[in-house]
């Protein structure tokens, strides 16, 4: 989500011929994905244990903590004696690894072929026969000393699915909808601020807002910019604003208006040299510049009314 927002920032600025401020960064979960799905990661080591004779869940946990000892996201669990914890983007999560190796094996119990063969359902009989043939072939290969096929696992299936999902997202043009619950009781007219804030934080919404604040928080089309802020310098625009004005004229007039505003508004000048940038069709303003202009406009309109 944050990566998409950052890319949109870059694309908008590039289209307008505007350079983003240097030092713009954002937080994502790429390091967590590497911890889970990378080489010697949590899932990689889980599959590796399937080939280790007499492997145990305790041995798996020891191996994970050894390989990931220096990773800032990996923690020794304070709650589970047979597990570990990971510091995810949304918070710390403790994992109980009891029976992980057994659950990951993705193979039926040895009694399955015989059990299904005794069924009166032809479909179950066929499934039992297929499982028996697969188990027999694997045993024959092992007895002959040949390298066995790669063991199928739950983790392996999940990793393949995750890789496919990330591939689709990276080639798509995603749009995100964030649903926020105002209260846990699901009743109207009740807004729990702490609950809403936690959802916005955990979903990455506040982080995406920070990305925009680091750059240009406000992007205003030239026509709207001229209409909103001409009140600060009445009768100083080069020409009246008309519906048939082309982009080049709107941009030129926006540059003229911005120059006038910089002369009369100290707060706008104090926002910095690169706080206001004129793009091809928009004016880009950082947070300080937008606040200075809005405050000045509010005062001007209040004076005009009184």
């Amino acid at each position: 989500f944050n990566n998409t927002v950052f890319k949109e920032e870059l694309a908008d600025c590039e289209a307008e011929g505007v350079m983003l401020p240097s030092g713009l960064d954002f937080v994502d979960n790429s390091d967590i994905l590497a911890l889970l799905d990378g080489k010697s990661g949590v899932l990689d080591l889980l599959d590796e244990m399937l080939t280790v004779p007499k492997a145990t869940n305790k041995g798996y946990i020891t191996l994970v903590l050894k390989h990931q000892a220096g990773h800032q996201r990996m923690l020794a669990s304070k709650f589970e004696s047979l597990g570990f914890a990971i510091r995810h983007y949304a918070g710390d999560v403790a994992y109980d690894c009891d029976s992980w190796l057994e659950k990951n094996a993705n193979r039926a119990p040895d009694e399955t072929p015989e059990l299904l063969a005794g069924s009166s359902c032809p479909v179950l009989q066929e499934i039992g026969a297929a499982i028996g043939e697969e188990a027999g072939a694997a045993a024959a290969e092992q007895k002959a000393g040949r390298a066995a096929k790669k063991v199928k696992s739950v983790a392996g299936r999940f990793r393949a699915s995750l890789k496919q999902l990330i591939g689709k997202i990276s080639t798509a043009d995603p749009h995100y909808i964030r649903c926020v619950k105002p209260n846990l009781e699901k009743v109207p007219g009740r807004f729990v601020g702490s609950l809403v804030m936690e959802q916005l934080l955990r979903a990455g919404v506040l982080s995406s807002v920070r990305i925009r604040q680091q750059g240009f928080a406000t992007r205003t089309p030239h026509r709207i910019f001229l209409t909103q802020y001409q009140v600060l310098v009445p009768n100083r625009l080069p020409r009246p604003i008309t519906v048939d004005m082309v982009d080049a004229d709107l941009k030129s007039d926006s540059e003229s208006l911005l120059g006038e505003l910089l002369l009369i508004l100290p707060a706008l000048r104090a926002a910095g040299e690169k706080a206001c940038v004129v793009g091809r069709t928009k004016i880009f303003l950082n947070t300080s510049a937008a606040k200075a202009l809005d405050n000045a406009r509010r005062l001007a309109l209040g004076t005009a009314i009184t």
Side-chain angles (χ1 to χ4, degrees):
F1 173 62
N2 288 348
N3 189 51
T4 300
V5 173
F6 186 70
K7 287 182 177 179
E8 288 176 351
E9 290 286 293
L10 290 177
D12 193 22
C13 289
E14 288 177 1
E16 292 289 323
V18 173
M19 292 290 294
L20 272 173
S22 59
L24 184 64
D25 62 351
F26 65 99
V27 178
D28 61 13
N29 63 346
S30 58
D31 56 340
I32 300 175
L33 289 176
L35 172 62
L36 293 174
D37 193 35
K39 183 176 177 58
S40 297
V42 171
L43 298 179
D44 190 45
L45 294 176
L46 186 60
D47 280 348
E48 183 180 312
M49 294 299 287
L50 292 177
T51 62
V52 177
K54 298 182 179 180
T56 64
N57 293 292
K58 182 67 175 178
Y60 163 67
I61 296 167
T62 302
L63 191 63
V64 170
L65 294 176
K66 177 182 177 181
H67 278 276
Q68 303 297 339
H71 202 291
Q72 62 179 354
R73 299 283 188 174
M74 175 60 70
L75 309 170
S77 177
K78 299 179 181 178
F79 308 103
E80 302 292 344
S81 59
L82 195 63
F84 50 80
I86 294 178
R87 180 155 291 162
H88 288 275
Y89 180 84
D92 296 353
V93 177
Y95 293 91
D96 180 0
C97 300
D98 185 30
S99 302
W100 271 29
L101 298 188
E102 295 81 357
K103 294 174 181 178
N104 186 49
N106 195 30
R107 58 172 173 258
D110 296 338
E111 301 83 3
T112 302
E114 182 179 354
L115 176 64
L116 296 182
S119 172
S120 59
C121 177
V123 175
L124 293 180
Q125 292 176 0
E126 291 181 14
I127 293 175
I131 294 175
E133 290 176 5
E134 185 176 325
E141 288 183 353
Q142 186 175 10
K143 185 176 181 180
R146 294 194 297 269
K149 295 181 180 178
K150 186 176 180 180
V151 180
K152 295 180 180 179
S153 68
V154 175
R157 191 165 65 245
F158 171 76
R159 295 172 74 184
S161 176
L162 178 63
K163 184 177 180 180
Q164 184 181 29
L165 174 62
I166 293 176
K168 286 182 178 180
I169 292 176
S170 63
T171 58
D173 184 19
H175 299 273
Y176 293 89
I177 297 175
R178 289 290 188 246
C179 299
V180 179
K181 295 180 181 179
N183 61 75
L184 294 178
E185 293 78 16
K186 300 181 181 179
V187 296
R190 183 177 300 171
F191 184 90
V192 182
S194 58
L195 175 64
V196 172
M197 176 61 75
E198 183 178 5
Q199 293 176 79
L200 294 176
L201 177 64
R202 302 311 185 195
V205 175
L206 296 184
S207 183
S208 68
V209 171
R210 188 177 66 86
I211 293 174
R212 176 59 71 92
Q213 288 178 332
Q214 284 181 326
F216 298 102
T218 303
R219 292 101 189 274
T220 307
H222 292 316
R223 185 182 297 278
I224 296 177
F225 178 77
L226 292 168
T227 303
Q228 285 185 337
Y229 299 111
Q230 65 175 333
V231 65
L232 298 175
V233 285
N235 303 319
R236 301 275 287 276
L237 291 181
R239 69 197 115 203
I241 304 170
T242 60
V243 294
D244 58 347
M245 289 180 69
V246 297
D247 288 342
D249 291 338
L250 290 170
K251 178 182 178 181
S252 176
D253 289 1
S254 291
E255 290 174 334
S256 299
L257 176 57
L258 181 59
E260 295 282 352
L261 295 175
L262 286 169
L263 290 175
I264 65 171
L265 298 177
L268 185 59
R269 295 196 299 273
E273 182 181 350
K274 297 182 180 179
C276 312
V277 181
V278 180
R280 293 189 177 94
T281 65
K282 306 173 186 176
I283 291 279
F284 287 70
L285 306 170
N286 69 11
T287 304
S288 299
K291 184 177 180 180
L293 284 173
D294 286 340
N295 287 340
R297 181 174 182 268
R298 190 179 304 110
L299 290 172
L301 290 176
T303 302
I305 292 173
T306 57

